Structure formats: structure tokens, C-alpha cells
Amino acid sequence: MSAKMSNGEFKNDVAMRGKGVYGANSGQQHSAMLSALPLITKSVADSWGKRPYTDRPFTIAEYGCSDGKNSVEPIAAALRGTADAKHVQLFLSDQPSNDFAATSKNVQKIGEDGEKDGISIFTAMVPRSFYKQVLAPNSADMGFSLMSIHYVDKMPPLREGEFPFDTSRKETRRQTWEKDFCSFLRLRSSELVDGSSLVLSQLSEPPEGGDNFAVVGQALGAGAQDMIKDNLLSHDLFKHFELPTWYPEPERMRELVASVGGWAVKDLFQQEIEHPASVELKKRRAEKEDPEDLEWYAGKVIDWLAAVVSGYFLKTVAITAGDMNEEQREKLLQEWISRSKKRFLADSKDAKVTSWLVFARLQKC
């Protein structure tokens, strides 16, 4: 849940789980990132040597870096395309509440490797939402944002009697995301130089309908319901708990890019990404069916999604659970995760966990 603003809106100021938790549980994000690497390589090939500025470093911007665990390989792919560059500048942006100490630790090796290759790499971290201006005008040669832009900036408050899962609320999320996505593109257009590229990936609507990672979401919902029954969580939880996200269809994304103008769609495709733990479980069970593997699997997939949504859960608990300190809220979070693992093991066992993503490479005209 996002923090309430004075004008009645809800601002999404939540970052991914810090202290290494998100990085340790972002295996599916890593798999998705690998699919974006060829687009990163193409972007650098298009922009390197064609930029209008020769008196500054080649500049790469990431919008939504989280703890940097999945930033290293995209940046390394970009640097391979600028092998003869002498100076490279990196801007890594995320919410002010992001764990930038973890980011710094994870990306430190990039600068060290650059020095070995004779490249001076200057890294800057920008604690600012990418729904604001992040860089000075015409200052970046390429940008990328992976698994981040399905989040919106602000959500209107729920209407009287409305719930987050109502059709009317889903329509509100759609409209809000489309407005924010167009704003994101306009902001990046001012920051990137002409001819540069922007690589994007985000969760998208599955081609045959349904929900992404449905079985994991159901287990988390069931775990919360168990806690409500035991009076550990307020009944108001489900009235307020809402992920401020929207997963568009690929063609709708193309239409929105065209409506903004100033961008050419060079690549756009949809791909199903299976959670690596799901892939690993199939391998294990092909050799031997061990009940401990199912427990391992439940732990992996629940910890993965919990690392993403924990901040929203804690915000909602703070709103609905009355006078409760941070330690007590954290204890509830861990109880929720534990119960959700048990529910997944009981209800889903070895069910496949998968997500559909849309990947795009846009070039600034």
C-alpha cells in the first residue's frame, strides 16, 4: 500500500526489499534480464559513435536499479559495445527509500573491471522516482529499465465501497498506468540524446488471459486469510492491500509509444519467463521424487514474490493494524511468509510458476 498524500492520492514510494533480500530472491528477474541483453547490445551499437557530443563520457542510465544485483550484466553488455571508450558514466536511479548501500556493493565490480580495461567509469546513484526528471536534458546516450515500469506513480483513493480487486478499480489502474507510462517516455525523451535507445521490459497481460504467477499470489492471499481468521491481521487488510501496477498488452504499449511521439519502436515482443526454481524442480523430480524438493520449491517461489510485495504489505499493516511498531510489523510479515509457504505446499505443490513480459527497444527520433 502506498503512503497517503494530503490531496487524497496514494503515492507509490515503496522500494524493493533491502539488505540483500531482493537480490537473493530475484531469480526470475534475472532470467528476464537475460532476454533483454541483446536489446542492450543493439542500443549501444546504434548510438556509439553517432552521438552529437564528443566532449563528455558515454553515458548510460538505468531507471529502477533496486539493489543492483541485476544491473551488472546489462551494464557489462553495454560496455562491451564501447570497448574503445575512455570514459563512461553510469546513472543508477531508484526510489529514495531504495537500499543504495546494497546497490553500491553490487555494482562496485563494474568500475574495477573498467579500470582493468583502461576505461574510467564514473558511477552516480540518483535517489529519485523515474516519474520525475532524473538527468539533465540531453545527457544520456542510452537508457534501460527492466521489470520496473509496470508500477505507477500515484493511485487515486478507493471509492466508497470499492475494493482493489473490483473491475472498476482495475480500470483505474489501467488508466493511471497509461498516463504514467506516457509521462515516463516524455521525461526520458528530454534526458536522452537524439538517436539514442531506451530498452524496456515489464510484466504484461498473458496472451491467453489469466494472471501472472497466479499460484504464488493465491498462496500469499490464503496465508493472509489464515492470519485474519486467527485475529493476527485486520479484516480491513483486503480492503486496502493493493499493488499499484498494471500489466499491458504489447500492442497497447506500441499504441501508447506512438501517441507520445518522438520514439520509433525498433523491437517489441512478448515472452514467457518461467521461474528458475520451477525449471530446477522439474529436473530434480525427473531424477527422484523427494518431498524435501517440494518444500524447497515452495520456499523459493514465496520468498521471491514476498521480496517484491513486502513493502506494500508492511504499509498496509501500518494503516490497518493500529498502533504497532516496526518490529511487530516485521514479525507479522515473517508469519505471513511462513503461512504462505505452507499454503503453497498444500495447494499447489509442483505447479509451474511463470510470468509474461513485454520487451521493447525504442529509439529517440
Side-chain angles (χ1 to χ4, degrees), residues 117-186:
D117 296 331
I119 304 174
S120 296
I121 298 178
F122 302 91
T123 303
M125 298 181 195
V126 186
R128 183 177 294 178
S129 166
F130 53 52
Y131 288 119
K132 295 181 179 179
Q133 191 82 23
V134 171
L135 306 178
N138 298 312
S139 59
D141 298 291
M142 74 150 294
F144 67 95
S145 181
L146 307 181
M147 289 290 281
S148 295
I149 59 170
H150 44 262
Y151 291 95
V152 306
D153 182 28
K154 303 169 186 175
M155 280 295 297
L158 290 159
R159 300 185 184 96
E160 185 70 28
E162 187 179 39
F163 287 84
F165 49 79
D166 288 345
T167 300
S168 60
R169 190 60 175 179
K170 291 179 181 178
E171 178 61 16
T172 298
R173 284 199 297 273
R174 181 191 67 79
Q175 294 177 359
T176 303
W177 178 83
E178 290 189 355
K179 175 182 65 69
D180 285 350
F181 178 62
C182 291
S183 175
F184 175 90
L185 292 179
R186 293 187 187 99

Side-chain angles (χ1 to χ4, degrees), residues 20 49-50 52 59 96 108-109 123 188 193-194 221 235 238 285 322:
K50 301 177 183 178
T59 301
Q108 181 179 357
K109 192 173 184 296
T123 303
R188 305 298 77 85
V193 300
D194 290 343
H235 285 275
F238 285 113
R285 291 177 69 76

Side-chain angles (χ1 to χ4, degrees), residues 202-226:
Q202 67 180 95
L203 289 165
S204 66
E205 178 77 14
E208 297 181 358
D211 297 320
N212 289 302
F213 42 84
V215 290
V216 186
Q218 289 164 5
L220 288 167
Q225 287 176 338
D226 288 345

